[in-house]
Amino acid sequence: MENLIDLLFGQPNDEFYKSSKGYKMSEKAFLDTWKKHGSPDQLFGNESCYSFLKDLHENTEGLFIVDHFSLYNYDNIFNIEHNGDYIHFIWKDFEKVPPPRGFESMTMELYNAHYIFSLCNIQRIQFFDLNGHMYAIVMPIIAEIKEVKKYLGIDKLDSTKVRIDENLEKLFTTIRYIKDNKINECILHNLPFFSFLLQPKEKARDAGFSQNILMYATLDYVNNRLEKVKSKTNVVDQYDFDEIRASGNIIRTILESLVKYYSIYHGYSLPEDHYGNNLLGKLKKNLKDDDLMVQYLKQEMINLANEFSHDTGKACSKVDLIKLNDYAIGLLEAIQEKMKINDDDENDEDVDQGN
């Protein structure tokens, strides 16, 4: 019978398959777009990243999932736009696609906005395959609220028409505003950590699993940066003081980023409003009651890091560079172990609740 049907109607061709909803939600649609762009491990900057995202949206008609670190997620994407320094991931646009007749009030009660979107300036997108399931994880570039308000054209709005809620521990800031008599909700990803990911609907894992992926990917990124410095340290001449100082300064910036991430992840507010002003000394003081930081964020390490970052008149030694790198690796390993324990505890709780 199957052969007879094939003879009468023929096998569906690739174009027919690609026009189907099943294809658009599939792993294959995701992979086809990735392969079209050369199967990269990573893409950098808004231009390259948007090119991939635009093709992905066209290939899937937005039928993929966006999971945020906050556990907030989009089950599809209406559109992706690139304007100026920012990329828009538009989830809902009830002006262009109104709710069904008779459901307008219920829709507004549910979403409380006419327009909902994520906004970020992308530093990189990293791709990886986990047990046959494709992920694209996104790391933004730091964005100042003042600059974003100007970009959105809301810097002159009355304060009653704009509300800003910073959710540092969730790696985003919400900007709700009324413009042209419409309510807009902007989810601003403005911290330089892996903050959200894209995955196919086929075989999709839940948002909690995505959160763990983003956490481990951020820590792995820190580890890769430290390993890169270590490799350079192994071959640097002991009298190449400029290179030694430069490598030490890089380790210091990595340490600051790591401690900030740890602080945010565990719900500590950063001591300074401006992200870049949160230096190691201020972070240490802010974490004086955290057992792990008391043990691993030593003043000796901070003093050593400062030697590489300021003109003290002293020559920085290769021995001190190796020592600073070892300090940083020890801190990272302690943080990884603590986060892994927390992750295991949460998984055990989920199992208990399931039973």
Side-chain angles (χ1 to χ4, degrees):
M1 177 61 74
E2 290 181 2
N3 291 336
L4 179 60
I5 291 174
D6 289 345
L7 287 171
L8 289 172
F9 300 105
Q11 288 282 4
N13 59 27
D14 286 344
E15 290 304 314
F16 177 83
Y17 176 59
K18 288 187 175 182
S19 69
S20 70
K21 190 172 183 179
Y23 170 76
K24 296 180 190 308
M25 295 191 295
S26 70
E27 294 278 352
K28 189 176 189 311
F30 221 86
L31 284 169
D32 285 347
T33 308
W34 177 62
K35 290 176 181 177
K36 177 183 175 181
H37 287 260
S39 305
D41 293 328
Q42 299 184 79
L43 291 172
F44 299 92
N46 279 339
E47 294 294 336
S48 296
C49 292
Y50 177 68
S51 178
F52 166 79
L53 293 167
K54 180 174 178 290
D55 285 345
L56 179 65
H57 188 268
E58 289 178 355
N59 205 26
T60 63
E61 293 186 358
L63 295 176
F64 56 85
I65 292 171
V66 179
D67 284 335
H68 302 72
F69 183 83
S70 63
L71 302 181
Y72 196 66
N73 78 322
Y74 304 148
D75 56 358
N76 63 81
I77 291 293
F78 173 72
N79 200 9
I80 300 177
E81 299 175 354
H82 180 200
N83 298 310
D85 291 334
Y86 298 95
I87 291 178
H88 297 234
F89 293 81
I90 303 166
W91 183 34
K92 300 293 181 183
D93 186 340
F94 293 119
E95 291 299 292
K96 292 183 178 178
V97 183
R101 186 181 298 275
F103 288 86
E104 295 88 350
S105 296
M106 186 176 73
T107 299
M108 278 304 297
E109 288 178 7
L110 180 63
Y111 295 103
N112 196 27
H114 298 92
Y115 191 69
I116 305 173
F117 64 102
S118 290
L119 184 71
C120 70
N121 185 342
I122 298 179
Q123 179 186 148
R124 69 182 65 216
I125 296 178
Q126 185 171 312
F127 302 90
F128 68 95
D129 183 302
L130 183 61
N131 299 325
H133 188 62
M134 190 73 177
Y135 291 92
I137 58 177
V138 183
M139 178 182 288
I141 291 173
I142 195 78
E144 299 294 336
I145 300 296
K146 183 178 179 180
E147 295 174 1
V148 174
K149 287 176 67 177
K150 186 175 181 180
Y151 167 79
L152 293 172
I154 60 174
D155 52 320
K156 305 296 184 184
L157 285 183
D158 185 273
S159 59
T160 60
K161 294 185 177 181
V162 181
R163 190 181 80 197
I164 298 174
D165 295 316
E166 290 193 82
N167 301 279
L168 281 182
E169 73 280 4
K170 301 299 184 183
L171 305 188
F172 74 90
T173 294
T174 303
I175 305 175
R176 287 181 60 84
Y177 59 95
I178 300 173
K179 188 177 181 182
D180 300 326
N181 294 319
K182 303 298 179 185
I183 301 173
N184 296 259
E185 181 172 285
C186 169
I187 306 298
L188 174 64
H189 296 284
N190 60 332
L191 291 170
F193 309 111
F194 286 116
S195 301
F196 64 99
L197 62 77
L198 287 58
Q199 63 170 319
K201 281 180 173 283
E202 182 183 6
K203 297 190 292 186
R205 301 294 299 269
D206 62 39
F209 190 77
S210 295
Q211 185 184 63
N212 287 334
I213 286 176
L214 293 166
M215 177 193 73
Y216 286 120
T218 296
L219 295 177
D220 191 53
Y221 173 68
V222 172
N223 183 66
N224 289 340
R225 293 178 71 192
L226 288 173
E227 287 297 324
K228 185 177 179 181
V229 177
K230 186 176 181 179
S231 295
K232 292 177 66 177
T233 301
N234 290 337
V235 297
V236 70
D237 188 278
Q238 63 178 328
Y239 299 114
D240 191 346
F241 300 121
D242 284 341
E243 187 62 36
I244 290 170
R245 182 178 292 278
S247 294
N249 195 39
I250 290 171
I251 296 173
R252 178 198 166 115
T253 61
I254 295 171
L255 277 169
E256 287 179 351
S257 175
L258 174 61
V259 177
K260 289 173 192 177
Y261 184 70
Y262 176 89
S263 299
I264 290 168
Y265 183 88
H266 288 286
Y268 295 104
S269 60
L270 296 179
E272 297 289 334
D273 291 336
H274 192 285
Y275 179 87
N277 290 340
N278 290 282
L279 306 180
L280 286 174
K282 293 177 181 178
L283 291 166
K284 175 179 171 58
K285 185 177 180 180
N286 198 52
L287 295 165
K288 64 182 184 300
D289 295 324
D290 186 275
D291 292 341
L292 183 144
M293 285 297 160
V294 169
Q295 182 177 354
Y296 287 93
L297 188 56
K298 299 288 190 181
Q299 189 61 46
E300 181 185 1
M301 179 176 72
I302 295 174
N303 293 342
L304 187 57
N306 288 339
E307 290 288 331
F308 289 95
S309 300
H310 306 298
D311 181 16
T312 62
K314 300 177 182 178
C316 297
S317 72
K318 183 174 179 178
V319 171
D320 283 342
L321 177 61
I322 294 171
K323 187 177 181 180
L324 181 61
N325 200 36
D326 288 343
Y327 271 137
I329 291 172
L331 176 60
L332 172 61
E333 289 175 348
I335 290 174
Q336 287 175 321
E337 184 61 27
K338 180 174 179 176
M339 289 186 171
K340 181 179 183 300
I341 291 171
N342 290 345
D343 180 26
D344 290 342
D345 289 344
E346 289 175 5
N347 289 337
D348 289 343
E349 288 178 10
D350 292 341
V351 170
D352 292 340
Q353 290 173 5
N355 292 333

